[in-house]
Amino acid sequence: MGGIRTSVITDKIFFWVLPVMYGVFTTVFMTLARSEGGSSSAKKGAAAFGIGMLAIVLDTQRSLFPSWFFTIAVPLHWLVIWYTADAFLTRHGDKIPVKPAATLFAIGLAINLYATFIVDSVAVRVPNASIVAIAILTLALPGFFKHRAKRLDKVTAFVVAMCWLCYLVRFGFYFTLDQSGEYARTSQWSQYMMIFYFTSAIFALSLAFLLVMAITTDMVARHFAAATIDPLTGVANRRGFERMLDGAGGAMPFQSALMVDLDHFKQVNDTYGHGIGDGVLVAVSQTLITCCKGLGEVVRFGGEEFVILLRTGERAAVLQLAELLRSAVAATRLDAPYDALSCTASVGVALVEPGEDIDNSIRRADRALYRAKETGRNRVVFADVDENTLRTVAAVSA
């Protein structure tokens, strides 16, 4: 008797500790959502664990509620699975397919209500609960295995797969050991239900920790991007430029530098306003990104000035690209009614010489840029190693 009493007391403690932990994680996700201005992953996490807390209380503290209340806990568990999966998948712009999941939920709920209020059959309710959970996880799994670029995503996919497998094993265990009879006699304390609660707790809390790590990792990445990416144009800023060089270690990944400056840009701002001027900067930056894709990196140094770092140091190819950039910028247009507005650019070019610091190459490219400005704009000027030698390689009337 003493052993049974101790077991019941331990079970009761477990059934109160679990919803408390769910409540803690609900609070954590709500706090993360507020701090990030409404992070979708954090919102989904808060919803999942808030619903999970309610489901556990309804399912385990049955003496506090009418006898039929616990049947509501089953569809709540399905929602927990759905929202938890979406909390992870949202990070990658993905989610569980809504229509199939909603259909499964509706069918499972109808069966659950039928087996509770019409036939009162445990042998239908329990397998139905597992089948719907397995089906929802089956819909989620492809998304988890599709987005496994990072180690954290791989671990998450593994845990979700183990959760799916656990439901399959429990489903088989229920029938193999004829748990339906024991469940009918003492549902909350049956061997099957204790295994259900224990494994659910392990996987739910594991996913909670992983989701917290994923959300905080995303927060760090967003703050890093905010510090290194120009918010207007979406290209790297000066700090991003420094990060590029730091990330390269001792090797110099760039073999040439181009300075690009928009001609008479102040007149654009004075004539059309800074809003249109910003639109020109965005359009030009997209042109530069398109032209340099796969060849190098575009950096906004400030105002209307851009630096382009190329991985090639072959002079003819670099000058050809510089001329392409100049002509592409001249051909860039805004949408109507400002489609007649055009802007040209002057370009300074310098190759990174062996042993030369990239900053020095950029300084030489900057001197070449100013020579382009002085000699009529809308042209490319190349800087030789000898800083006193600047060659105009393309000249077009501004």
Side-chain angles (χ1 to χ4, degrees):
M1 289 292 292
I4 295 175
R5 180 177 177 80
T6 301
S7 175
V8 172
I9 292 173
T10 303
D11 293 338
K12 286 185 176 180
I13 293 173
F14 175 77
F15 288 145
W16 277 117
V17 168
L18 189 56
V20 168
M21 296 186 71
Y22 273 58
V24 169
F25 279 109
T26 300
T27 303
V28 169
F29 290 127
M30 289 175 64
T31 303
L32 288 173
R34 283 198 297 269
S35 65
E36 282 297 287
S39 163
S40 295
S41 291
K43 283 183 176 180
K44 290 283 187 179
F49 283 87
I51 293 170
M53 178 176 60
L54 176 61
I56 291 295
V57 171
L58 289 175
D59 205 12
T60 59
Q61 307 302 324
R62 299 179 185 179
S63 61
L64 303 178
F65 307 99
S67 59
W68 57 269
F69 254 49
F70 78 92
T71 196
I72 302 174
V74 173
L76 291 180
H77 281 298
W78 300 335
L79 286 178
V80 171
I81 294 171
W82 188 346
Y83 287 173
T84 302
D86 274 357
F88 284 100
L89 296 177
T90 296
R91 300 175 54 240
H92 302 286
D94 203 352
K95 62 182 179 180
I96 291 180
V98 175
K99 288 185 178 180
T103 301
L104 286 168
F105 185 90
I107 294 173
L109 179 60
I111 294 173
N112 195 56
L113 294 175
Y114 173 81
T116 299
F117 297 105
I118 298 177
V119 298
D120 191 19
S121 173
V122 171
V124 174
R125 285 200 304 267
V126 177
N128 177 60
S130 293
I131 290 171
V132 176
I134 291 168
I136 292 175
L137 283 170
T138 301
L139 290 175
L141 276 174
F144 281 94
F145 281 90
K146 182 171 64 176
H147 306 292
R148 292 185 301 149
K150 298 180 180 178
R151 183 175 300 175
L152 182 61
D153 295 320
K154 292 178 181 178
V155 173
T156 303
F158 174 78
V159 172
V160 173
M162 290 300 99
C163 184
W164 176 81
L165 181 61
C166 181
Y167 269 101
L168 283 177
V169 171
R170 286 198 312 231
F171 182 69
F173 177 74
Y174 178 80
F175 288 104
T176 303
L177 299 183
D178 192 24
Q179 291 295 302
S180 58
E182 182 187 356
Y183 187 92
R185 291 190 300 273
T186 171
S187 59
Q188 188 173 347
W189 315 106
S190 70
Q191 182 182 17
Y192 173 82
M193 287 307 293
M194 287 309 301
I195 293 174
F196 174 87
Y197 291 129
F198 184 70
T199 54
S200 294
I202 291 175
F203 286 116
L205 297 179
S206 297
L207 288 172
F209 280 112
L210 288 171
L211 185 56
V212 170
M213 292 174 61
I215 292 172
T216 52
T217 299
D218 292 345
M219 289 171 61
V220 171
R222 282 194 293 272
H223 287 302
F224 175 80
T228 59
I229 301 297
D230 176 55
L232 175 64
T233 61
V235 302
N237 57 19
R238 280 180 177 267
R239 184 172 293 181
F241 163 73
E242 294 169 359
R243 293 282 187 181
M244 289 179 199
L245 300 184
D246 291 342
M252 172 50 64
F254 305 112
Q255 300 302 315
S256 53
L258 282 64
M259 292 290 295
V260 179
D261 190 83
L262 301 187
D263 300 324
H264 303 298
F265 185 72
K266 185 177 182 300
Q267 293 180 8
V268 175
N269 282 331
D270 291 344
T271 303
Y272 298 96
H274 288 278
I276 300 303
D278 287 348
V280 170
L281 290 174
V282 171
V284 168
S285 66
Q286 290 305 307
T287 296
L288 298 178
I289 291 171
T290 301
C291 292
C292 298
K293 188 174 182 179
L295 302 174
E297 303 292 341
V298 179
V299 181
R300 185 185 179 193
F301 255 36
E304 65 272 23
E305 190 174 61
F306 296 85
V307 172
I308 297 173
L309 304 174
L310 299 177
R311 296 182 182 87
T312 180
E314 203 281 312
R315 174 171 173 156
V318 172
L319 291 177
Q320 184 179 16
L321 179 60
E323 178 60 22
L324 172 65
L325 292 174
R326 185 202 62 76
S327 59
V329 169
T332 299
R333 295 291 185 273
L334 299 183
D335 293 333
Y338 300 100
D339 49 329
L341 174 61
S342 63
C343 192
T344 62
S346 300
V347 184
V349 181
L351 303 183
V352 180
E353 300 298 327
E356 184 181 25
D357 185 271
I358 188 68
D359 290 330
N360 191 64
S361 302
I362 291 175
R363 279 194 294 271
R364 290 194 294 113
D366 195 41
R367 291 188 66 251
L369 169 66
Y370 277 97
R371 174 61 63 86
K373 293 281 191 182
E374 292 170 353
T375 54
R377 295 182 171 83
N378 191 21
R379 64 195 63 218
V380 176
V381 172
F382 178 78
D384 282 327
V385 181
D386 179 3
E387 292 198 3
N388 293 319
T389 305
L390 301 171
R391 303 177 186 273
T392 300
V393 296
V396 180
S397 299

